[in-house]
Amino acid sequence: MLHLLREMLHTPVLDILHHLKHSTGLPVRELSTRMKMSYMGVKQHCVDLEKAGFLDTWRRSKGAGRPEKIYRLTPKVDALFDGGFGLALTLEILTTAERVYGETAPPKLLYTYFQAKAEALAPKLAKAVNVAERAKLLAKLRSADGCLSTCETDENGHLCLVEHHRPLRALAAHYDMVDELECEMIERLLGCEVRRSVEEVSGLVRVTFRIKTSAHHE
């Protein structure tokens, strides 16, 4: 939804939300640089968004000098990124299936969903010649699904998928197997082991799928 709003409404507020969502929090200085906008202009928008409950702040140490104020999103903004996944309907279907067919029905349906999802994505990755290329293509496909995914390399040289939104988070809150099935799907698509970790602060999230290729043995 935010993507559509940014196309329809040219306002710095939406750009601020966009940049913060793709981060773990940013100072006004960095926001103004990214947006090519005046420091005071960005700061006033951030102050207004904080008053409205869309942003909160924390202080980050810079070593020497005063700590830097960092703005980050609150959970109030989540609705802008959910993309109409239809959570209520999905939960109702799973609950009905459990009532009619027993407690094993929801896990079977979820397993089938992720299996079908993997089968649909696999042909789109077929042209990639190695894991790195598959990971880059998969990041684009998952971004199209609302995950805000990028392919990165961490400080130890490990390939990672890094995502700043979890469209299935609310579903996983009801069925904790969802996160495991999603990770297993990514492993099948990439053809190697993947380790999943999640960092959440206020309304910001960073999901990292660390990819273990043959070049990295532990």
Side-chain angles (χ1 to χ4, degrees):
M1 186 181 294
L2 183 66
H3 175 70
L4 292 175
L5 288 173
R6 290 179 75 213
E7 288 186 359
M8 293 186 293
L9 304 172
H10 300 287
T11 167
V13 167
L14 297 178
D15 285 335
I16 289 172
L17 298 179
H18 170 80
H19 287 295
L20 289 178
K21 184 63 175 176
H22 288 79
S23 74
T24 54
L26 295 170
V28 171
R29 168 187 49 78
E30 188 166 343
L31 278 169
S32 62
T33 299
R34 293 187 182 194
M35 296 170 60
K36 298 180 180 179
M37 185 175 167
S38 73
Y39 178 94
M40 291 308 298
V42 173
K43 181 176 178 61
Q44 185 57 56
H45 285 301
C46 287
V47 169
D48 292 342
L49 286 167
E50 184 181 9
K51 288 179 180 177
F54 294 108
L55 303 184
D56 65 12
T57 62
W58 63 288
R59 295 281 180 176
R60 181 172 67 189
S61 175
K62 295 171 57 180
R66 296 175 57 188
E68 192 172 36
K69 179 185 279 191
I70 304 297
Y71 282 95
R72 59 193 181 191
L73 302 184
T74 67
K76 190 175 180 179
V77 187
D78 282 353
L80 285 174
F81 298 91
D82 282 342
F85 179 71
L87 173 65
L89 177 60
T90 302
L91 287 174
E92 185 175 345
I93 290 172
L94 292 172
T95 301
T96 301
E98 182 173 358
R99 186 169 61 249
V100 175
Y101 299 107
E103 63 181 14
T104 62
K108 288 178 179 177
L109 287 171
L110 289 168
Y111 176 82
T112 302
Y113 165 78
F114 281 101
Q115 188 176 44
K117 185 70 174 177
E119 290 173 357
L121 292 175
K124 300 177 182 180
L125 306 179
K127 293 182 179 180
V129 297
N130 54 42
V131 174
E133 285 193 14
R134 286 198 298 274
K136 290 177 182 178
L137 287 174
L138 183 57
K140 292 181 180 179
L141 293 170
R142 287 182 62 78
S143 285
D145 283 341
C147 297
L148 304 183
S149 180
T150 59
C151 183
E152 303 178 8
T153 302
D154 68 13
E155 64 277 6
N156 295 316
H158 291 95
L159 197 64
C160 301
L161 288 182
V162 178
E163 302 183 345
H164 290 282
H165 190 58
R166 294 177 61 197
L168 302 180
R169 175 168 52 183
L171 185 62
H174 289 79
Y175 299 96
D176 54 12
M177 67 182 297
V178 166
D179 290 335
E180 182 180 348
L181 289 172
E182 184 177 45
C183 191
E184 289 176 355
M185 178 188 72
I186 292 174
E187 285 185 328
R188 290 198 299 272
L189 290 169
L190 296 180
C192 52
E193 183 181 346
V194 172
R195 292 182 181 177
R196 180 181 183 275
S197 62
V198 181
E199 303 169 63
E200 293 191 73
V201 181
S202 190
L204 295 175
V205 62
R206 178 186 174 93
V207 183
T208 302
F209 295 96
R210 188 165 170 266
I211 302 164
K212 291 187 66 177
T213 65
S214 58
H216 299 105
H217 298 284
E218 295 180 10

